């Protein structure tokens, strides 16, 4: 065919279509129409041929009919008047003896999407619902949904709705499922199709007849049904059992989702359902389709939040194949990190080590940061691998290792010696901003133990003129100032040069302002500077972080089997690459860019979660103490990560310290201290305490080991008050339990000192020894109290009092049990 | 699910179908640029979002199949549907690629209409579709007089009135063996098997008249335990998946596999066996890299299966550095070839009897200026095919065929074991 511009082509086609010779030769006519459709699918605008094509509709040739329909459905909206001409042919076809012709006509009639045609379409659609051929009924049922979709505000015809409800009993399973779909659409305003007991059981009984798509639809809609008794509930659950272990991942996922919604009040049953889906989920992880593999992995991550041990024995199933895409490898690594335990740690680390040299740099860096995560529990093995990786002298690897080490020492300060040794010389292999930033942070904080620190900083300072990264310059300022505080002789000169450059020549306001701030700070004296720059550190005595707290299933059940889990992890992985741990932004949750309409049910579900929790707390507080407690409910959601806790705690700490008061209060914040008599508490095992507090919805985050002094526990909870409207609906309470072994009079002083002044390891050991001595001397003394420091935001005295009474009751109960 | 629309693209949109009419079809223009951008950033992901529109996509050869949705849909269902599209199109056009789409776009439109209506999957069984969506108009004319029974039939996967002169069923039992062998932490040692499993599939080619009832007997351990038999070798199958024709309730109650088969070719069932299998072809390799001068490779392949069996078309693919040159080979059997575009040496052995051992040596030069680009450590992979043998020991004990006309039919069984994902990691 000669090349024609689109205008010429349309002209040419019009001439052919209106040529009587072509029209009389069926084959030629059809081929010409075919050419039109081809041009259309190649993006040529052939809408101008509408009237010619409409004429071609009246034909006995089915193929030609189908071609015309394809054309009409694409352009009908542009020519509503001309489309009227087709409707008669379509209506005639609806009475054709061939069911295929009938369903074709019916479907295309509704696909024209013209509200002007509605009155002509209704009658054939009504007839279609009663057609003897299932394929026509299928189309007719969905046709009503399309019609309603076209005029969403129109009156709903009750007879049609009734007819659709009765067609739920249609012998054809697809008609049944289409009825559900259509009613969902038509009754959207009323909350969708109504599911009563007979309908629910009818659907359950016919579930097996449906194909995969139909089963998923039925299962989704059944989530709306609430069984009337436990007996009925368990009948339904046993009917669903085979679908739960279905080999079709969509069916399995939809069934689990239904299980979780039916059993939201029965956590034990939900947990056993999670156990049941382990095998099919693992099978889906081995699916040949990588997208299904990916989806399964993302859902496994959700399950692990509530049952961390679910996949422990199957960790090898999450090893990466060489040719797998990066997004699967990275998810697998995230899962592997969760599965680590004493038995498999060596094997797992060895495997991860292999991924660190992956050709894909993102995968390599993800592997390195995974090793860092494991390092929080198995620091020696991990540091050995990380140090070894520095030897490869690859830029992207070195950068990831240094960032990982920075994140690791922040959580596990005991690693700092090894890290300091490893850092020597690695600056030569660092090019990217994040890596250099991490190195600078480490040099500033641990400068006194890294002999070459001043020389490395000097190189940076000499090159500051050509430095393009704002972040690096700001980090450099802080690091140099910090180093100056511990090694003034070596650093003074270069600090001066750096400040001079940043104040006099730097054009960026942020850098300049920071330099000016430091300059003025130095004028206030060394001690002041030290207080500002060396204030915040993790408490090294808090080594034992008891894993990640197990979340209740209700935390994630609403997002199960949606797009959400597929999108989440990608955001969390790189949150650690955003600069120094101190600078972690105040944004508590990674800001996933899921649009709002993706989580329509979230608010509602959280609400129910806290409701069930409140029941539980009320019950247990009643059981634990007879004292009158204001109606108060505690809940663990939203969960708080250790990092967030520390940030919030320290933020309050500094405010508190500045005011210097015993009790600091302002409008939305309250800090109080109480002493509770329960001398044996510091000797009970962290597991017991954690379990006991979790019963009343208080989450413990960190412990010192039992018998050490000072003994500490950090915990948090959320309160929800339901009674008064004037009070804030919910508050966050952070708490610290502190036991120093000192008599009551001194302990308040200890809190003030112990928590924001960092003791050197040596000094601390001495202090502990000293305290131990005293403790043994006062073994029998009853004056030893556990000091409870609570921080609440926003302020709500009543709730805080209620919380304190719950906490005290638990501590007392435990205390009597331990003795 | 509520899929708004489906697109087939290759850089530009080849075909699209708008199912709901309430989304802007121009949204798809964001897809390719976003995909490319993610690819560049190494953050590629099977879900791409733009505003409140989400694209769920898969790639088949060089074609993208994209489902557009703005609801919080069930991801695994959408992906399953996209793969179903690939399956149906492939059965229609043999190859699914840009050319076959261009040549058959009318059928593609028709299929898209039949497979999904208003965003909901409808008829997706390709056997049924092939009965009334045909490529030739002539056939359609015939169909006009004959109402396809399958759409209304209780047995939706088989139509009535099928006739064959000679009634036969061919049963293929195909097992693929997946092996991942690790490396010991030491230097250049060959490690042990880290994971292995068998994926089996039973395929049928049915050439039977009427509406036959079939029953398949396997040496299934659960079945033998149920019936109290304990003779001979049995197999424990996991993750068993059946074609929709198999009566699942029967299988669940007494492990009987009974069904009315679809006509022609179909996959009756698949299973996985998660046991520690001995790798059928064991590879020992020594790869020594002398920087700036040469790489020396020694590969020993050993057939760890019965002496009577023979592996056919064995291919051992050994990775070499991308800057290697001047290859030299020596093999005790078969022939070795350097494939520079894939950085591989491919050692081919046409027939490899069980219990035998063969050797291949290769020598490559390396440039004196080293390529400082980081190269991964690709594994050695092996391909092979062993006929008349299944690793798991699964056996077809009987195939009963009953049809009301009472004809005699013959079942033919063929076994074959082949390599699946067969990887042996190396140190270099």
């Amino acid at each position: 065919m000669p090349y024609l511009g689109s205008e010429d082509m349309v002209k040419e086609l019009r001439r052919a279509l209106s040529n009587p010779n072509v029209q009389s030769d069926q084959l030629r006519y059809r081929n010409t129409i075919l050419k039109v459709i081809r041009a259309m699918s190649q993006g040529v605008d052939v809408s101008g041929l509408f009237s010619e094509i409409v004429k071609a509709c009246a034909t006995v040739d089915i193929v030609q009919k189908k071609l015309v329909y394809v054309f009409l459905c694409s352009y009908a909206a542009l020519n509503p008047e001309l489309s009227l001409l087709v409707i008669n042919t379509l209506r005639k076809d609806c009475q054709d003896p061939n069911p295929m012709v009938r369903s074709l006509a019916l479907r295309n009639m509704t696909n024209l999407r013209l509200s002007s045609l509605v009155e002509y379409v209704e009658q054939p659609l009504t007839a279609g619902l009663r057609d003897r051929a299932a394929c026509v009924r299928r189309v007719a049922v969905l046709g009503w949904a399309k019609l309603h979709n076209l005029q969403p505000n129109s009156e709903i015809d009750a007879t049609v709705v009734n007819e659709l409800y009765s067609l739920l009993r249609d012998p054809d399973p697809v008609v049944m499922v289409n009825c559900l779909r259509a009613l969902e659409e038509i009754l959207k305003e009323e909350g969708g199709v109504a599911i009563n007991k007979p309908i629910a059981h009818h659907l359950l009984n016919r579930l097996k007849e449906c194909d995969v798509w139909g089963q998923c639809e039925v299962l989704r809609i059944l989530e709306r049904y609430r069984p009337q008794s436990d007996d009925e509930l368990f009948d339904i659950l046993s009917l669903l059992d085979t679908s739960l272990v279905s080999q079709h991942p969509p069916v399995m996922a939809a069934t689990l989702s239904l299980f979780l919604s039916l059993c939201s009040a029965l956590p034990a049953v939900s947990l056993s359902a999670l156990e049941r889906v382990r095998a099919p989920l693992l099978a889906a992880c081995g699916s040949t389709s990588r997208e299904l593999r990916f989806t399964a992995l993302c859902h496994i991550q959700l399950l692990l939040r509530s049952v961390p041990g679910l996949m422990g024995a199957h960790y090898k199933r999450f090893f990466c194949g060489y040719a797998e895409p990066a997004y699967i490898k990275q998810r697998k690594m995230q899962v592997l990190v969760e599965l680590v335990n004493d038995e498999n740690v060596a094997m797992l680390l060895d495997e991860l080590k292999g991924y660190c040299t992956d050709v894909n740099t993102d995968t390599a860096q993800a592997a390195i940061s995974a090793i860092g995560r494991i390092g929080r529990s198995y620091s020696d093995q991990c540091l050995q691998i990380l140090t070894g990786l520095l030897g490869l002298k690859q830029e992207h690897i070195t950068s990831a290792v240094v960032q990982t080490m920075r994140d690791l020492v922040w959580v596990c300060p005991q690693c700092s010696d090894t890290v300091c040794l490893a850092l020597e010389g690695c600056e030569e292999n660092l090019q990217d901003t994040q890596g250099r930033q991490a190195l600078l942070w480490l040099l500033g904080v641990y400068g006194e133990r890294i002999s070459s620190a001043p020389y490395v900083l000097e190189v940076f300072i000499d090159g500051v003129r050509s430095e393009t990264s704002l972040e690096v310059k700001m980090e450099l300022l802080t690091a140099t100032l910090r180093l100056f505080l511990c090694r003034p002789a070596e650093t003074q000169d270069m600090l001066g040069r750096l400040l001079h450059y940043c104040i006099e020549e730097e054009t960026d306001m942020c850098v300049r302002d920071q330099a000016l701030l430091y300059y003025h700070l130095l004028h206030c004296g060394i001690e002041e500077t030290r207080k500002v720059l060396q204030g915040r550190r993790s408490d090294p005595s808090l080594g034992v972080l008891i894993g990640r707290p197990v979340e209740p299933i209700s935390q994630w059940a609403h997002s199960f089997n949606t797009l959400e889990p597929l999108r989440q992890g990608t955001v969390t992985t790189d949150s650690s690459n955003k600069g120094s741990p101190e600078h972690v932004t105040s944004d508590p949750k990674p800001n996933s860019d899921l649009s709002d309409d993706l989580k329509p049910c979230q608010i509602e579900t959280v609400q129910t979660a806290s409701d069930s929790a409140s029941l539980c707390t009320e019950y247990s507080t009643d059981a634990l103490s007879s004292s009158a407690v204001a109606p108060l409910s505690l809940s663990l959601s939203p969960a708080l990560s250790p990092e967030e806790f520390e940030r919030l705690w320290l933020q309050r700490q500094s405010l508190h310290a500045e005011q210097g008061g015993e009790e600091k209060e302002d409008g939305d914040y309250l800090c109080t201290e109480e002493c509770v008599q329960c001398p044996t508490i510091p000797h009970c095992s962290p597991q017991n305490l954690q379990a006991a507090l979790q019963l009343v919805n208080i989450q413990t985050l960190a412990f010192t080991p039992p018998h050490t002094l000072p003994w500490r526990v950090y915990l948090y909870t959320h309160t929800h008050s339901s009674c008064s409207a004037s009070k804030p609906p919910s508050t966050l309470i952070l708490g610290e339990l502190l036991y120093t072994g000192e008599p009551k009079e001194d302990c308040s002083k200890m809190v003030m000192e112990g928590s924001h002044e960092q003791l050197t390891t040596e000094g601390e050991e001495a202090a502990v020894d000293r305290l131990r001595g005293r403790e043994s001397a006062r073994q029998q003394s009853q004056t030893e109290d556990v000091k409870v420091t609570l921080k609440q935001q926003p302020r709500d005295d009543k709730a805080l009092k209620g919380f304190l009474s719950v906490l005290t009751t638990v501590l007392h109960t435990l205390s009597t049990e331990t003795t | 699910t509520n899929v708004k629309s489906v697109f087939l693209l290759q850089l530009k949109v080849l075909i699209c179908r708008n199912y709901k009419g309430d989304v802007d079809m121009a949204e798809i223009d964001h897809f390719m640029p976003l995909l490319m951008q993610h690819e560049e950033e190494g953050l590629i992901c099977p879900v791409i979002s733009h505003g409140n529109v989400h694209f769920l996509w898969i790639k088949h050869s060089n074609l993208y199949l994209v489902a557009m949705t703005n609801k919080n849909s069930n991801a695994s269902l959408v992906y399953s549907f996209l793969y179903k599209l690939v399956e149906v199109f492939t059965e229609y056009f043999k190859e699914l690629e840009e050319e076959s789409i261009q040549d058959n776009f009318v059928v593609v439109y028709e299929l898209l209409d039949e497979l999904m209506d208003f965003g909901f999957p409808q008829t997706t069984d390709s056997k049924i579709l092939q009965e009334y969506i045909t490529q030739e108009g002539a056939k359609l004319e015939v169909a006009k007089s004959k109402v396809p029974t399958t759409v209304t039939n209780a047995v939706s996967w088989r139509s009535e009135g099928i006739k064959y002169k000679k009634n036969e069923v061919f049963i293929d039992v195909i097992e693929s063996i997946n092996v991942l062998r690790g490396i010991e932490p030491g230097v250049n040692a060959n490690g042990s098997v880290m994971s292995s499993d068998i994926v089996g599939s039973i395929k049928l080619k049915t050439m039977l008249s009427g509406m036959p009832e079939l029953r398949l007997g396997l040496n299934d351990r659960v079945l033998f335990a149920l019936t109290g038999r304990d003779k001979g070798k049995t197999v424990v199958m996991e993750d068993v998946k059946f074609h929709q024709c198999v009566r699942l309730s029967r299988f669940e109650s007494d492990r009987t596999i009974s069904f009315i088969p679809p006509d022609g070719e179909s996959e009756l069932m698949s299973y996985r066996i998660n046991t520690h299998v001995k790798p059928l072809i064991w590879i020992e390799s020594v790869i020594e890299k002398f920087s700036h001068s040469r790489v020396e490779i020694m590969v020993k392949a050993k057939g760890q299966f019965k002496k009577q069996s023979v592996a056919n078309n064995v291919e051992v693919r050994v990775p070499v550095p991308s800057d290697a040159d001047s290859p030299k080979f020596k093999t005790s059997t078969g022939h070795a070839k350097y494939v520079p575009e894939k950085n591989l040496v491919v050692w081919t052995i046409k027939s490899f009897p069980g219990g035998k051992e063969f050797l291949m040596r290769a020598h490559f030069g390396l440039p004196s200026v080293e390529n400082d680009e980081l190269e991964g450590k690709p594994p050695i992979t092996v391909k092979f095919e062993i006929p008349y043998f299944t690793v798991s020991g699964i056996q077809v004990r009987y195939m009963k065929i009953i049809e009301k006309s009472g004809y005699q039919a013959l079942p033919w069984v063929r076994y074959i074991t082949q390599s699946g994902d067969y990887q042996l990691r190396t140190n270099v």
Side-chain angles (χ1 to χ4, degrees), chain B residues 39-51:
Chain B
E39 208 158 359
E40 236 163 66
E41 291 165 1
L43 287 167
I44 209 159
C45 175
V47 189
I48 292 179
S49 303
H50 180 263

Side-chain angles (χ1 to χ4, degrees), chain B residues 25 32 38 42 47 51 58 67 74 84 133 135 162 169 189 208 212 230 234 246 282 317 329 334 337 342 350 362 405:
Chain B
M25 294 298 272
M32 274 327 266
H38 289 196
V47 189
I58 64 169
N74 172 347
K84 193 78 201 179
I133 309 285
Q135 295 180 62
I162 296 171
V169 191
L208 296 170
D230 189 27
T234 54
V246 176
W282 181 253
R317 296 156 172 253
F329 304 109
K337 204 176 109 192
K342 287 184 179 159
K350 279 272 164 267
S405 67

Side-chain angles (χ1 to χ4, degrees), chain B residues 8 33 39 49 93 172 179 205 224 257-258 270 288 299 358:
Chain B
L8 277 81
E39 208 158 359
S49 303
F93 316 131
D172 279 350
V179 169
K205 187 175 177 191
F224 277 39
I257 304 170
S258 78
S270 67
E288 281 180 293
V299 177
F358 299 114

Side-chain angles (χ1 to χ4, degrees), chain A residues 30 34 37-38 40-42 60-63 66-67 70 96 98-101 104 107-108 111 113 132-135 138-139 142 145-146 149 172 174 178 181 185 208 211-213 216-217 220 242 247-250 253-254 279 283 289-292 294-295 316-317 319-323 326-327 330 347 350-351 355 357-360 362 394 396-397 561-564 566-567 570 594-595 597-600, chain B residues 1-2 13-15 17-22 41-49 51-52 54 56-59 69-77 79-81 83-84 102-103 105-106 109-110 113-114 117-118 120-124 132-133 136-138 140-141 143-145 147-148 151-152 180 183-185 193-195 239-242 248 252 272 274 372-379 421 423 425:
Chain A
R30 183 207 283 169
L34 193 70
I37 307 293
R38 187 186 297 274
M40 183 184 97
S41 70
Q42 283 164 352
V60 287
D61 179 5
I62 274 210
V63 179
K66 284 185 178 173
L67 290 172
V70 169
D96 196 277
N98 183 347
M100 298 315 297
V101 176
L104 190 70
R107 187 170 58 220
N108 285 291
N111 280 355
R113 296 195 189 107
R132 65 199 143 78
C135 61
R138 291 175 183 180
V139 171
L142 281 185
K146 292 182 203 168
N149 192 43
D172 182 77
V174 181
N178 277 356
R181 291 161 168 163
E185 178 76 33
K208 288 237 165 66
D211 56 12
V212 174
W213 328 111
C216 291
E217 202 72 52
R220 186 182 65 79
T242 49
Q247 292 311 314
H248 298 289
S289 142
R290 50 191 208 170
E291 290 79 14
L292 288 177
F294 176 70
T295 313
K316 283 188 182 171
R317 300 283 283 270
F319 282 2
C320 304
Y322 179 73
Y327 60 82
Q330 291 177 17
M347 185 82 178
D350 207 51
E351 183 70 16
Y355 307 153
T357 48
D358 197 285
V359 199
N360 181 314
D362 289 302
Q394 292 283 333
H396 69 278
I397 293 179
N561 206 20
T562 66
L563 290 183
E564 227 174 307
L566 276 71
R567 309 268 337 224
T570 43
L594 276 179
S595 53
D597 65 333
L598 262 187
K599 358 179 172 172
Chain B
T1 41
N2 211 323
V13 179
L14 296 178
I15 274 203
R17 185 70 186 82
N18 184 354
Y19 288 111
K20 293 284 271 194
D22 57 357
E41 291 165 1
L43 287 167
I44 209 159
C45 175
V47 189
I48 292 179
S49 303
N52 56 5
H54 307 281
L56 282 80
W57 61 278
I58 64 169
K59 196 178 176 187
T69 148
N70 63 4
K71 279 252 181 70
N72 204 355
S73 38
N74 172 347
S76 53
L77 194 67
Y79 291 128
S80 300
F81 179 75
Y83 275 98
K84 193 78 201 179
Q102 299 278 23
D103 290 350
F105 65 94
V106 177
Y109 273 128
E110 274 185 53
D113 261 357
E114 291 296 333
D117 195 5
F118 203 47
F120 301 113
Q122 300 288 308
T123 311
T124 55
Y132 61 97
I133 309 285
E136 284 116 55
L140 251 166
E141 243 67 76
K144 200 179 171 185
S145 58
V147 178
V151 191
T152 47
L180 176 61
I183 38 168
E184 297 293 331
V193 173
M194 295 185 5
S195 66
D239 305 337
V240 186
K241 272 188 216 179
F242 288 110
L248 282 179
E252 276 153 21
R272 211 172 51 81
N274 198 16
D372 56 351
E373 227 172 81
L374 184 73
E375 289 183 19
K377 293 176 182 172
D421 188 12
Q423 298 192 3
R425 293 188 182 165

Side-chain angles (χ1 to χ4, degrees), chain B residues 267-286:
Chain B
E267 185 179 31
L268 181 69
M269 62 183 283
S270 67
Y271 55 89
R272 211 172 51 81
I273 297 173
N274 198 16
T275 61
H276 206 85
V277 281
K278 195 153 70 167
L280 296 176
I281 293 195
W282 181 253
I283 301 286
E284 276 172 37
S285 65
V286 181

Side-chain angles (χ1 to χ4, degrees), chain A residues 136-169:
Chain A
V136 182
R137 294 199 299 275
R138 291 175 183 180
V139 171
V141 167
L142 281 185
W144 282 108
K146 292 182 203 168
L147 218 58
H148 181 78
N149 192 43
L150 205 58
Q151 304 178 301
N153 301 320
S154 65
E155 199 74 359
I156 301 162
D157 186 351
T159 49
V160 172
V161 171
N162 284 340
E163 193 138 7
L164 288 176
Y165 269 115
S166 65
L167 275 176
L168 286 174
R169 311 243 165 218

Side-chain angles (χ1 to χ4, degrees), chain B residues 11-251:
Chain B
L11 291 173
K12 62 180 177 61
V13 179
L14 296 178
I15 274 203
C16 63
R17 185 70 186 82
N18 184 354
Y19 288 111
K20 293 284 271 194
D22 57 357
V23 281
D24 184 1
M25 294 298 272
E27 285 283 351
I28 193 67
D29 295 341
H30 299 291
F31 173 74
M32 274 327 266
L34 279 170
L35 183 71
M36 304 243 195
Q37 183 195 332
H38 289 196
E39 208 158 359
E40 236 163 66
E41 291 165 1
L43 287 167
I44 209 159
C45 175
V47 189
I48 292 179
S49 303
H50 180 263
N52 56 5
V53 174
H54 307 281
F55 305 106
L56 282 80
W57 61 278
I58 64 169
K59 196 178 176 187
H60 182 85
S61 56
N62 51 3
L63 212 62
Y64 294 93
L65 288 92
V66 186
M68 189 160 102
T69 148
N70 63 4
K71 279 252 181 70
N72 204 355
S73 38
N74 172 347
S76 53
L77 194 67
V78 178
Y79 291 128
S80 300
F81 179 75
L82 291 176
Y83 275 98
K84 193 78 201 179
L85 285 183
V86 173
E87 187 192 314
V88 171
F89 289 148
T90 317
E91 279 189 39
Y92 265 87
F93 316 131
K94 291 272 181 301
E95 295 287 329
L96 174 59
E97 55 192 14
E98 184 182 355
E99 204 168 64
S100 59
I101 296 287
Q102 299 278 23
D103 290 350
N104 299 286
F105 65 94
V106 177
V107 181
V108 175
Y109 273 128
E110 274 185 53
L111 285 173
L112 286 175
D113 261 357
E114 291 296 333
L115 284 158
M116 186 171 259
D117 195 5
F118 203 47
F120 301 113
Q122 300 288 308
T123 311
T124 55
D125 192 308
S126 62
K127 286 264 149 34
I128 304 172
L129 288 168
Q130 271 167 355
E131 290 211 1
Y132 61 97
I133 309 285
T134 47
Q135 295 180 62
E136 284 116 55
K139 270 198 186 171
L140 251 166
E141 243 67 76
V142 181
K144 200 179 171 185
S145 58
K146 192 191 96 185
V147 178
T149 49
T150 45
V151 191
T152 47
N153 215 355
V155 183
S156 63
W157 56 89
R158 187 182 177 92
S159 30
E160 278 162 18
I162 296 171
K163 274 211 172 66
Y164 284 97
K165 259 189 212 153
K166 197 172 169 192
N167 289 298
E168 289 174 311
V169 191
F170 298 88
I171 307 164
D172 279 350
V173 181
I174 302 164
E175 289 193 339
S176 303
I177 157 166
N178 300 325
V179 169
L180 176 61
R181 195 193 65 190
I183 38 168
E184 297 293 331
V187 196
N188 259 347
N190 291 294
S192 53
V193 173
M194 295 185 5
S195 66
S196 65
D197 60 359
I198 302 164
V199 177
S201 133
I202 298 184
K203 293 187 172 162
L204 294 184
K205 187 175 177 191
T206 318
M207 300 164 78
L208 296 170
S209 315
M211 278 285 176
E213 273 285 342
L214 269 60
R215 231 165 76 202
L216 176 71
L218 299 171
N219 54 339
D220 170 10
R221 182 166 307 163
V222 185
L223 172 69
F224 277 39
L226 272 178
T227 52
R229 301 174 50 143
D230 189 27
K231 284 176 210 144
K233 195 174 159 30
T234 54
V235 175
V236 184
M237 295 181 288
E238 292 171 42
D239 305 337
V240 186
K241 272 188 216 179
F242 288 110
H243 186 274
Q244 58 160 332
C245 66
V246 176
R247 293 184 186 90
L248 282 179
S249 48
R250 291 270 330 249
F251 183 75

